[in-house]
């Protein structure tokens, strides 16, 4: 009589937009291997065509930067973590790249696998991780499309000054200039949040701390300021149209 195979967990997740520094990565590895002897843990990477394997992230970093052929001009964009107990009832594999983090829990200890998976998902979620990499892009495209439509309507309203009552036209411009102002503010807010939460993986140092504005790159700050100027222009048009209607 054959024995039925034991049920196994086979969980695999991919996370995007993660913001992880060195201490965050160490924490991810610590959570993932909770319940597995440290002797069964491996951390490895491939850099400059050389493979390095150690038992901790700190030892791995030291091994890479102190290697004779280490070149800091070559991007370091991968770290692999694996751990399993003697019976392989608990196994975890984590791959960290510049754009995504892959996490897999397998083994016959189903409760442990699901519990650890939930802990990792919560931890990464608190550091910006999402399962759908296109969610922010779709929302941003929607706002940009709305801005283009409103801009077209404002242009149409301006042209119609010569064919319709100016009061109706000015009313149209007031309404849609106000809406344009709101959409510009919403777009600026979304861009700031998106830039501040852009995927960043730092293997050798922690992430910079501070306000959202201080964490933005120079190009992002310029873009936000440009949008602010556009919002001020929309506000000026709104005030001008209102003044014309009021006869000021």
């Amino acid at each position: 009589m054959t024995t039925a195979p034991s049920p196994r967990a086979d969980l695999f997740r991919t996370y995007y937009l993660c913001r992880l520094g060195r201490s965050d990565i160490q924490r991810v590895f610590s959570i993932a291997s909770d319940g597995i002897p440290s002797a069964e843990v491996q951390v490895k990477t491939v850099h400059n065509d050389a493979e390095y394997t150690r038992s901790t992230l700190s030892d791995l970093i030291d091994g890479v930067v102190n290697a004779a052929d280490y070149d800091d001009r070559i991007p370091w964009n991968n770290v692999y973590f694996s751990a399993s107990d003697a019976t392989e009832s608990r196994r975890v594999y984590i791959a960290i790249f510049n754009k995504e983090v892959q996490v897999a829990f397998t083994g016959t200890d189903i409760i442990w696998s699901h519990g650890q998976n939930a802990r990792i998902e919560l931890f990464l979620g608190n550091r910006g991780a999402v399962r759908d990499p296109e969610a922010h892009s779709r929302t941003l495209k929607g706002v940009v499309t709305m801005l283009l439509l409103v801009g077209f309507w404002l242009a149409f309203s301006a042209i119609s000054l010569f064919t319709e009552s100016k009061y109706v036209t000015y009313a149209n411009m007031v309404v849609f200039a106000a809406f344009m102002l709101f959409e510009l503010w919403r777009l600026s807010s979304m861009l700031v949040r998106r830039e501040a939460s852009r995927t960043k993986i730092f293997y050798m140092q922690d992430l910079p701390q501070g306000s959202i504005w201080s964490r933005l790159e120079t190009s992002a700050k310029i873009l936000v300021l440009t949008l602010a100027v556009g919002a001020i222009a929309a506000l000026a048009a709104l005030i001008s149209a209102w003044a014309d209607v009021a006869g000021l």
Side-chain angles (χ1 to χ4, degrees):
M1 181 177 178
T2 59
T3 304
S6 301
R8 294 177 55 87
D10 188 9
L11 309 175
F12 179 82
R13 302 285 187 273
T14 301
Y15 301 95
Y16 305 90
L17 302 181
C18 298
R19 294 178 54 83
L20 301 174
R22 177 173 176 170
S23 60
D24 295 316
I25 295 173
Q26 288 176 321
R27 182 59 181 154
V28 168
F29 294 166
S30 176
I31 293 173
S33 60
D34 187 17
I36 297 177
S38 58
E40 305 299 329
V41 172
Q42 270 194 348
V43 186
K44 69 177 183 178
T45 188
V46 177
H47 184 264
N48 197 16
D49 295 327
E51 182 175 307
Y52 303 84
T53 301
R54 299 291 189 274
S55 58
T56 67
L57 180 63
S58 296
D59 290 343
L60 182 70
I61 293 173
D62 290 342
V64 172
V65 299
N66 293 322
D69 58 349
Y70 174 68
D71 187 347
D72 60 4
R73 293 170 297 180
I74 296 177
W76 187 2
N77 55 17
N78 64 90
V79 168
Y80 306 92
F81 173 88
S82 61
S84 64
D85 62 8
T87 63
E88 296 194 350
S89 62
R90 298 177 175 181
R91 299 183 65 186
V92 56
Y93 170 81
I94 298 175
I96 299 179
F97 306 106
N98 281 354
K99 296 298 184 181
E100 64 184 48
V101 176
Q102 299 175 356
V103 180
F105 287 95
T106 60
T108 56
D109 193 336
I110 297 176
I111 295 177
W112 179 87
S113 297
H114 282 274
Q116 295 299 91
N117 184 69
R119 292 177 65 191
I120 291 295
E121 185 161 320
L122 178 61
F123 183 87
L124 294 179
N126 289 334
R127 283 148 184 82
V130 297
R131 299 283 303 281
D132 181 3
E134 300 299 327
H136 294 287
S137 297
R138 285 196 297 269
T139 304
L140 188 60
K141 288 177 182 177
V143 174
V144 172
T145 301
M146 184 63 69
L147 280 172
L148 291 175
L149 291 174
V150 172
F152 174 79
W153 184 265
L154 280 174
F156 176 78
S157 296
I159 294 173
S160 67
L161 272 170
F162 302 100
T163 59
E164 297 180 5
S165 167
K166 73 173 184 177
Y167 296 104
V168 174
T169 301
Y170 284 148
N172 280 340
M173 292 183 67
V174 166
V175 171
F176 287 99
F179 190 73
M180 176 72 85
L181 184 63
F182 171 74
E183 287 296 322
L184 282 171
W185 171 81
R186 195 157 73 103
L187 179 61
S188 299
S189 299
M190 289 181 60
L191 286 173
V192 168
R193 290 196 300 271
R194 183 183 181 188
E195 289 297 320
S197 62
R198 177 178 291 183
T199 304
K200 290 186 182 297
I201 306 292
F202 292 167
Y203 300 104
M204 293 188 287
Q205 69 264 9
D206 287 333
L207 288 174
Q209 302 298 315
S211 65
I212 291 178
W213 180 259
S214 67
R215 300 200 306 266
L216 292 179
E217 297 178 357
T218 302
S219 58
K221 291 180 179 179
I222 293 174
L223 178 59
V224 171
L225 290 175
T226 301
L227 289 172
V229 171
I232 293 173
L235 181 60
L238 177 64
I239 295 173
S240 176
W242 178 260
D244 287 341
V245 171
L248 299 178

